[in-house]
Amino acid sequence: MWRDNNIWLHYVKNIIAADVPSALFLASYIRHNTLTKDYAASLEVIDLQKYKVIRQVSKVRVALRERSSIPFVFVVGKN
């Protein structure tokens, strides 16, 4: 089934897609999430220095801005 169709192309900004419309859709979705900061709803911040897990979207945004460069502070994606 995938013998002739498993051609993946590497586009700008590390986008890998099978065709151009898929790559354009993914690029526009990533740009939209970056501008509106919707990605924070799918992340958690685990702060081992304060022994807490930050789950609220507003506090995740603050932690990403202020605490992401501090050791033992990890950004984790929710599944």
Side-chain angles (χ1 to χ4, degrees):
M1 177 171 123
W2 289 96
R3 185 172 299 161
D4 296 327
N5 295 334
N6 69 356
I7 299 172
W8 291 89
L9 300 173
H10 188 81
Y11 296 97
V12 237
K13 296 186 180 179
N14 293 327
I15 294 176
I16 298 173
D19 56 354
V20 175
S22 299
L24 289 175
F25 173 76
L26 184 57
S28 65
Y29 179 72
I30 290 172
R31 184 172 186 275
H32 171 74
N33 276 348
T34 303
L35 291 176
T36 59
K37 296 190 172 115
D38 285 341
Y39 58 86
S42 64
L43 297 175
E44 291 179 341
V45 177
I46 299 173
D47 191 349
L48 295 180
Q49 290 184 348
K50 293 185 177 182
Y51 297 107
K52 64 187 214 179
V53 178
I54 302 169
R55 292 188 174 103
Q56 295 176 349
V57 177
S58 60
K59 291 184 179 182
V60 167
R61 286 185 185 142
V62 171
L64 286 174
R65 186 176 52 238
E66 296 174 359
R67 302 195 53 83
S68 64
S69 63
I70 297 175
F72 301 107
V73 176
F74 303 101
V75 179
V76 179
K78 294 182 195 176
N79 283 334

